[in-house]
Amino acid sequence: MSFVIILIKGALIYGGLLGTAAAMTLAERKVSAWMQLRIGPNRVGPGGLLQPLADGIKFIFKEEVTPDGANKGIFRLGPIMAAVPAMLTIAVIPFAGETTIFGIDFGLLSLTDLDIGLLFVLALSGLSVYGGILGGWASNSKYSLLGGLRASAQMVSYELSLIMTALTVVALSGSMNLREIVEVQNTGNFLDWHCFTPVVGQVGLILFVITTFAETNRHPFDFAECEPELVGGFHTEYSSMKFALFFLGEYCAMTVMACLTTVLFLGGYSVPFWEDAPWIVQVGTFMTKTAFFLFLFIWVRWTLPRFRYDQLMNLGWKVFFPIALANLLLAGAVISLS
Amino acid sequence: MVDLLFYVAAGVSVLCALGVVVSANPVQSVMMLLGSFVGIALIYLLAGFQFLAAIQILVYGGAIMVLFLFVVMLLNQGDPVVLAREQGVLRKEQLAVGLAVAGSALAVLLVAVVRTDLPRPIFGYLWPEGGLDPLLGMAQAMFGPYVLAFEGASVLLLATAVGVMTLAKRQRSTPVAAANEEVSA
Amino acid sequence: MVVVKRRELTFWERIYLPEIFRGLAITFKKMFEPRVTRQYPEETLPTTEVTRGQPRLVVKDDGNIACVSCGLCEAACPAYAITIDGQETERFIEREPERFEINMLRCILCGFCEEACPKEAIFMSDELELADTTRQGLVYDMKRLERPASTLKPRIDYVRRINERW
């Protein structure tokens, strides 16, 4: 029985993740169009809603090109390494508390309830560097190689700030378990959300959001792709479904990072003024909060120009890392004083 | 089930470790090493050390192997096939030294394994039933009895970081010389 | 040499975040402004008599084609897109085209044929769409090119008005 429940949960969560990723490809084009006074895709299905489906079909039927001189095995490994870690991380995100659907007790609405949930997310998002760097190297193309190198250097640098900022939350809530992190914040008073912790919370939230932008290679930090300089960066030589996998990986990583920001700083599934909300309200709240961050990803992309590469590295090492460290120290001081 | 998983993980890590040595292509070696680390992380997980497993992946998989890859990609090592042909097989002395080191390491490990009284069962949680939470236990051990060793290690790491910075800075102070070096290399 | 003096950034600009929020506010506002997109196949651009579309042959009100196959447009065409074979006719004008083809793949829509024509027989219409799935389909024969004079009236009047100036 518990096995069946896990299967159902898995189907729900992964269906949701892939659905969100697909919807994001449409949302990206729609929102960018709206911001540029255009209309955006509106031909496939009502209002263009079936555009992701059309894109998927197109990707499947595209010719698959492997460049001459590419290292075949690693070339194939690249997209897999980009997509799989991003998809795995969703397993520990709690979407709602105790859930009962049609009288069946589903327990916590997340695939697993790991004690080290946060660490699991960070470890796997660290592994997603490999997609870009391996794909870039194996393509046997200068643009791809440069894109891959940039991606890896950037992600390794920003991972430090990401971990330090996440540690601030761990210190505030006294646990690495994502469920417990949410439960600490779920008191019915939304001022208990970590983003409302004076100074520490706000600095942490801003730092965390910006570092997730860098971690997922999104604008204004998308040096791995950087069309004007590197054609397409690490996926220049990829086509067909392999390219689609890179895309899927990017959007899944964005979704997971938006979920994680929600869990860490916005109280996850906790509903303001309603501590014991039914699961469906909690899921709705969670999705609303996550949707805001997903929108922010797109919003920032179509607002800000790309950084310069040295600016990115300076920002990561000389600004974000010290601030994150100081913030962690401040959090420690606040906790030990209170 | 746990035993089976252990043999799978152990097999993967041993085979990947062999692959590191055997692969002609350095990037392939790095990937093999990553596979080996993942296998080891799985073994940690089976033994109940979730934290250690995650840290293994985070630090070794996510950071250190990326640096390895970086270095391997940046160094122009030439065509691996040509390199293998030029260098040929190992010389006899090299082979002998290698075998001697590997053999003595294996002997030490075997002696250690045989003479240590391992707790039974080896797999599953090593912590007392319903007692310590593994993460909490680890933290308490690290900042309790072993705090001096822990802080000592961090000082050592700091010293390394400072040393590396000094070396890097010294090279950059004479850019012309550094540039010349690069050209001649 | 031009020395560009960069303005010293104020503290608020150096923090960068307030400026980012300002930018975000601008793009957010833009989302609710009226769209400028034209839904092309359904909504076409309005055309006027000045619109220089594709060349068309005038069919006069009596049902006869105005062309006398003099070949001037053929000669004026810089892209050699026009091919004319003439034949005799019982009508007063004595000659008319047996074959009049414009290869629209070659035509550069310059309007020289319109200028060259002494008989007001070829005009640039307001038709702009030019697409087909075969090359042969884009070689327009006489039947495809003929247009009653009434539909070309605004253009004819416009060209006459322009020509009066010389």
Side-chain angles (χ1 to χ4, degrees):
Chain A
M1 192 59 199
S2 67
F3 185 66
V4 175
I5 283 178
I6 286 184
L7 270 187
I8 295 173
K9 277 197 219 168
L12 276 179
I13 289 171
Y14 276 95
L17 176 66
L18 295 181
T20 311
M24 278 298 286
T25 60
L26 176 66
E28 179 106 63
R29 297 172 64 180
K30 272 288 187 190
V31 172
S32 71
W34 293 337
M35 286 176 178
Q36 295 165 357
L37 306 186
R38 296 182 287 117
I39 293 172
N42 63 348
R43 297 278 153 176
V44 193
L49 276 179
L50 295 181
Q51 187 67 38
L53 198 69
D55 285 342
I57 292 170
K58 188 193 75 178
F59 272 129
I60 290 171
F61 286 110
K62 284 265 178 175
E63 185 191 356
E64 200 165 309
V65 183
T66 308
D68 212 16
N71 188 322
K72 303 270 179 331
I74 294 182
F75 188 74
R76 235 170 260 145
L77 194 62
I80 298 174
M81 288 294 271
V84 169
M87 291 187 195
L88 279 181
T89 37
I90 199 84
V92 291
I93 307 275
F95 293 96
E98 289 304 314
T99 304
T100 315
I101 307 173
F102 302 127
I104 304 165
D105 184 21
F106 276 75
L108 181 75
L109 199 60
S110 81
L111 266 184
T112 62
D113 184 20
L114 278 183
D115 277 341
I116 50 154
L118 185 59
L119 209 59
F120 179 81
V121 174
L122 294 175
L124 282 177
S125 72
L127 280 190
S128 58
V129 188
Y130 284 102
I133 192 169
L134 287 181
W137 180 81
S139 300
N140 194 28
S141 147
K142 50 187 174 297
Y143 301 119
S144 301
L145 180 64
L146 282 174
L149 284 180
R150 282 179 173 196
S152 50
Q154 170 186 343
M155 286 170 88
V156 169
S157 311
Y158 276 80
E159 219 171 76
L160 274 173
S161 320
L162 191 78
I163 292 173
M164 285 301 161
T165 323
L167 271 185
T168 317
V169 174
V170 171
L172 285 177
S173 41
S175 173
M176 274 201 182
N177 186 325
L178 292 181
R179 173 180 53 83
E180 282 169 23
I181 291 178
V182 172
E183 283 305 326
V184 166
Q185 301 173 70
N186 187 14
T187 55
N189 178 2
F190 68 88
L191 287 178
D192 279 341
W193 295 356
H194 287 323
C195 65
F196 292 113
T197 313
V199 187
V200 177
Q202 287 92 51
V203 173
L205 178 63
I206 290 173
L207 274 185
F208 195 82
V209 168
I210 298 176
T211 34
T212 52
F213 279 58
E215 271 294 292
T216 50
N217 277 324
R218 285 287 299 189
H219 265 265
F221 306 120
D222 68 331
F223 291 95
E225 296 175 36
C226 197
E227 294 89 349
E229 295 162 29
L230 299 179
V231 191
F234 61 94
H235 56 53
T236 306
E237 306 290 343
Y238 280 92
S239 53
S240 186
M241 274 320 271
K242 284 184 189 149
F243 175 73
L245 262 186
F246 271 126
F247 238 73
L248 192 66
E250 183 184 325
Y251 282 103
C252 283
M254 274 163 61
T255 312
V256 171
M257 282 301 175
C259 289
L260 194 63
T261 318
T262 308
V263 167
L264 293 185
F265 289 98
L266 255 63
Y269 53 74
S270 48
V271 187
F273 309 117
W274 197 2
E275 198 182 335
D276 302 313
W279 69 275
I280 193 121
V281 179
Q282 290 184 335
V283 172
T285 316
F286 188 91
M287 281 163 80
T288 314
K289 292 171 184 170
T290 309
F292 169 73
F293 285 110
L294 285 175
F295 176 71
L296 190 69
F297 271 109
I298 302 175
W299 190 7
V300 167
R301 169 165 183 187
W302 297 101
T303 303
L304 297 180
R306 188 181 286 116
F307 272 53
R308 216 170 52 215
Y309 192 64
D310 59 316
Q311 289 173 333
L312 169 92
M313 281 298 170
N314 273 343
L315 193 68
W317 286 105
K318 294 185 185 164
V319 181
F320 281 2
F321 187 49
I323 293 182
L325 270 181
N327 200 36
L328 183 58
L329 207 65
L330 191 63
V334 168
I335 291 162
S336 54
L337 286 181
S338 62
Chain B
M1 182 69 184
V2 170
D3 278 357
L4 186 71
L5 270 177
F6 167 74
Y7 286 119
V8 169
V12 164
S13 52
V14 168
L15 280 183
C16 284
L18 265 181
V20 176
V21 193
V22 174
S23 314
N25 189 329
V27 174
Q28 218 155 331
S29 292
V30 174
M31 287 324 289
M32 286 291 179
L33 199 50
L34 178 65
S36 177
F37 283 153
V38 171
I40 291 171
L42 198 54
I43 294 176
Y44 286 150
L45 208 57
L46 290 176
F49 298 113
Q50 294 180 347
F51 181 78
L52 213 55
I55 287 290
Q56 168 89 4
I57 300 239
L58 181 64
V59 174
Y60 283 95
I64 293 190
M65 289 328 286
V66 173
L67 286 187
F68 272 37
L69 261 188
F70 231 84
V71 173
V72 166
M73 285 180 186
L74 284 180
L75 291 178
N76 187 11
Q77 73 268 352
D79 185 9
V81 182
V82 177
L83 273 182
R85 203 187 306 131
E86 278 173 0
Q87 290 175 340
V89 283
L90 292 170
R91 276 182 288 132
K92 264 186 194 146
E93 307 91 82
Q94 289 173 322
L95 201 64
V97 170
L99 278 180
V101 171
S104 47
L106 185 67
V108 169
L109 261 183
L110 276 180
V111 169
V113 166
V114 169
R115 287 184 53 180
T116 313
D117 187 22
L118 288 174
R120 308 257 159 210
I122 300 175
F123 305 116
Y125 282 104
L126 290 180
W127 307 97
E129 279 293 319
L132 282 169
D133 151 20
L135 196 55
L136 199 65
M138 183 138 183
Q140 280 171 352
M142 213 142 85
F143 292 99
Y146 301 110
V147 67
L148 213 61
F150 178 70
E151 293 299 335
S154 68
V155 169
L156 197 68
L157 281 177
L158 187 66
T160 321
V162 171
V164 167
M165 269 181 180
T166 331
L167 284 177
K169 258 281 183 280
R170 190 187 299 160
Q171 239 175 21
R172 198 176 300 168
S173 62
T174 52
V176 181
N180 282 343
E181 261 176 30
E182 267 169 36
V183 169
S184 63
Chain C
M1 194 174 76
V2 182
V3 178
V4 180
K5 273 248 168 66
R6 287 190 193 274
R7 189 170 59 88
E8 193 80 6
L9 294 181
T10 62
F11 177 72
W12 278 113
E13 285 168 336
R14 280 237 299 274
I15 289 185
Y16 214 80
L17 276 175
E19 296 293 305
I20 287 179
F21 288 131
R22 244 169 41 134
L24 288 175
I26 288 172
T27 41
F28 195 77
K29 257 185 277 167
K30 288 284 169 190
M31 284 176 62
F32 305 102
E33 284 178 18
R35 316 285 88 186
V36 296
T37 310
R38 193 182 299 277
Q39 292 288 339
Y40 165 61
E42 293 92 26
E43 267 177 67
T44 47
L45 271 172
T47 54
T48 64
E49 72 268 19
V50 191
T51 309
R52 201 175 67 210
Q54 300 166 19
R56 288 290 179 264
L57 290 176
V58 174
V59 178
K60 291 189 294 185
D61 294 338
D62 59 8
N64 287 317
I65 200 159
C67 178
V68 296
S69 70
C70 64
L72 279 178
C73 54
E74 198 178 4
C77 183
Y80 305 113
I82 304 178
T83 315
I84 306 172
D85 288 339
Q87 67 179 10
E88 290 194 8
T89 172
E90 297 299 311
R91 288 190 292 142
F92 177 70
I93 53 171
E94 292 181 0
R95 271 171 67 81
E96 65 176 13
E98 182 196 357
R99 183 164 79 112
F100 193 111
E101 277 179 7
I102 300 182
N103 186 344
M104 290 313 295
L105 289 170
R106 308 201 62 158
C107 177
I108 56 170
L109 312 172
C110 61
F112 283 9
C113 45
E114 181 187 62
E115 275 181 44
C117 187
K119 301 299 282 184
E120 294 188 339
I122 188 164
F123 281 98
M124 308 305 278
S125 72
D126 58 2
E127 287 166 60
L128 296 162
E129 281 153 16
L130 187 60
D132 205 316
T133 48
T134 60
R135 281 162 184 269
Q136 208 48 51
L138 284 163
V139 179
Y140 286 1
D141 59 6
M142 222 151 66
K143 212 178 219 110
R144 184 83 174 66
L145 289 170
E146 283 171 2
R147 281 286 175 282
S150 52
T151 59
L152 290 169
K153 191 82 171 58
R155 178 72 184 183
I156 295 173
D157 290 344
Y158 167 74
V159 172
R160 279 183 186 153
R161 213 165 61 233
I162 295 292
N163 285 350
E164 268 166 22
R165 295 190 351 209
W166 310 119

